[in-house]
Amino acid sequence: MLIKFIVCFIAGIGAGLGTGFAGMSAAAVISPMLITFLDMPAYEAVGIALASDVLASAVSAYTYGKNKNLDIRNGVVMMVSVLCFTMVGSWIASQLPNSTMGSFSVFMTFLLGVKFIVKPVMTTKNAMEAVDPQKRFVQSVICGVMIGFICGFIGAGGGMMMLLILTSVLGYELKTAVGTSVFIMTFTAFTGAVSHFAIGGMPDLWCLVFCVGSTLLWARIAARFANKASPATLNRATGVVLVVLGVAIMGVNYIK
């Protein structure tokens, strides 16, 4: 029990910081930790990670929204298409072996972190709002389909993909991108977790409680700091968190 608590608490620290700072899915951190150190089946680990995403993303979205860094109107458009394809990805993932799960998100975490350090997102809200609404609508639907499939397939709440697309494709400034990302991820993670539990059964309840609690705590801390930070500081902090997490997860996978 003590080992479970330690592993889940440490996993929650990484997952919470990633969620609060960068809108990253908890699955990118929690899944490999549970699989490696607790010998948990990958599908069960992903279900726990997605469940941990739900409250952590919700409290982060509330914090960003409270600071007016959340675009609900356009976020809902992407969310609908994401939700439609999350269950499809989850079902396909259930047919695959453990080793296939999660490898994509690890490398992407590292690369996205490097991007924010080397080429920070300095878009302003005025520039973001100048984008043609119809163009953004079409892009949101198409991107949402891809993100939803990835969310269910590799167990990621789609946070990294959404952050990349919101900043690079849709032209969002960083804080609004993270706030919108965690808002969407609250619902995608919930859908993914329910479908995982429905297909694979209930997971280890103690691991579930420990992971959810730790991730929620650290996500709230990170989100509060992020909303008070300057754009330059937030870019650097986001980049460092993602790079460190990416390297740490690759290290965990190497140990495995």
Side-chain angles (χ1 to χ4, degrees):
M1 183 66 70
L2 179 60
I3 293 176
K4 279 185 183 181
F5 175 78
I6 293 173
V7 171
C8 292
F9 185 75
I10 294 174
I13 292 175
L17 291 178
T19 300
F21 272 119
M24 188 185 79
S25 169
V29 179
I30 292 177
S31 296
M33 290 282 289
L34 297 184
I35 293 168
T36 301
F37 296 109
L38 299 180
D39 294 321
M40 185 177 290
Y43 199 72
E44 181 180 353
V46 168
I48 290 176
L50 284 170
S52 301
D53 255 339
V54 178
L55 290 179
S57 296
V59 74
S60 296
Y62 172 78
T63 303
Y64 278 91
K66 188 177 179 181
N67 288 274
K68 303 186 185 302
N69 291 316
L70 172 58
D71 184 3
I72 295 180
R73 185 178 61 183
N74 291 303
V76 168
V77 174
M78 183 179 290
M79 181 181 70
V80 171
S81 52
V82 167
L83 288 174
C84 290
F85 280 81
T86 299
M87 286 191 180
V88 176
S90 179
W91 180 82
I92 293 176
S94 70
Q95 310 301 312
L96 299 175
N98 286 357
S99 58
T100 309
M101 307 288 286
S103 57
F104 171 78
S105 62
V106 175
F107 191 55
M108 187 175 174
T109 300
F110 176 78
L111 290 182
L112 195 56
V114 172
K115 175 191 177 298
F116 281 116
I117 295 174
V118 176
K119 189 178 180 181
V121 177
M122 300 304 289
T123 307
T124 63
K125 286 190 177 181
N126 289 334
M128 180 188 81
E129 293 169 356
V131 178
D132 179 58
Q134 291 185 340
K135 178 181 179 182
R136 175 165 288 163
F137 177 85
V138 174
Q139 289 176 328
S140 296
V141 172
I142 295 173
C143 294
V145 169
M146 295 187 297
I147 293 168
F149 181 80
I150 291 171
C151 169
F153 183 68
I154 66 172
M160 289 172 291
M161 284 295 294
M162 280 189 281
L163 184 62
L164 180 62
I165 288 171
L166 288 171
T167 55
S168 301
V169 178
L170 301 182
Y172 277 58
E173 59 95 21
L174 186 55
K175 289 184 182 180
T176 306
V178 175
T180 305
S181 175
V182 290
F183 167 73
I184 298 172
M185 199 162 65
T186 301
F187 300 94
T188 60
F190 177 78
T191 305
V194 170
S195 58
H196 268 66
F197 295 158
I199 295 170
M202 285 301 294
D204 184 307
L205 290 180
W206 281 115
C207 285
L208 178 63
V209 171
F210 293 153
C211 286
V212 169
S214 180
T215 305
L216 176 62
L217 171 65
W218 291 97
R220 178 165 176 75
I221 292 172
R224 292 184 67 178
F225 174 83
N227 277 277
K228 294 179 180 179
S230 67
T233 300
L234 183 57
N235 270 277
R236 284 194 294 268
T238 301
V240 169
V241 167
L242 290 177
V243 168
V244 170
L245 288 177
V247 172
I249 297 166
M250 284 188 276
V252 168
N253 287 338
Y254 178 77
I255 293 173
K256 176 188 174 184

